[in-house]
Amino acid sequence: MAVRAVRGAVQLERDEAGHMDQQVAALLTALMERNGLTVDDLISLWFTATPDLRSDFPAAAARGLGITDVPLICAQELDIEGAMPRVVRVLAHIESDRPRAEIAHVYLGAAAALRKDIAQ
């Protein structure tokens, strides 16, 4: 089994804790489903949020999904002028038999514009 990295992002409509929880949960669920993952396949999750998101930690949504024994960390995304606002990104380190070329990176909604080259 190889260690792989999976990327994903979602743009929130507003900075509210419940909305963040819902959208990040949808992102993680899609990432896991599209890659055939279970919680046991997760090694760690690294979240970033743009500076305009202050209502909650994105990792709280992961805990709400039952991802309780996986190391999680949150960080602030760089504050770059002109960058897409209200975005949560995730970098998941996983164990998978899939070749790197078959890993499905997940960019939901408007966030698909961030990485048109790998968004599925």
Side-chain angles (χ1 to χ4, degrees), residues 39-120:
V39 173
D40 288 338
D41 298 320
L42 301 175
I43 297 170
S44 65
L45 299 173
W46 182 291
F47 296 94
T48 64
T50 51
D52 51 3
L53 294 175
R54 297 183 278 284
S55 63
D56 203 359
F57 295 100
R63 298 289 183 223
L65 289 175
I67 302 172
T68 57
D69 64 348
V70 175
L72 309 176
I73 192 165
C74 297
Q76 186 175 15
E77 191 70 34
L78 293 173
D79 191 9
I80 304 298
E81 189 172 326
M84 184 180 287
R86 300 177 316 281
V87 175
V88 174
R89 292 172 173 85
V90 64
L91 173 63
H93 298 98
I94 64 168
E95 291 181 324
S96 176
D97 288 327
R98 289 181 184 222
R100 185 177 300 160
E102 293 180 17
I103 296 296
H105 303 283
V106 179
Y107 289 78
L108 299 180
L114 295 171
R115 291 297 307 265
K116 292 178 184 176
D117 57 327
I118 63 172
Q120 315 247 329

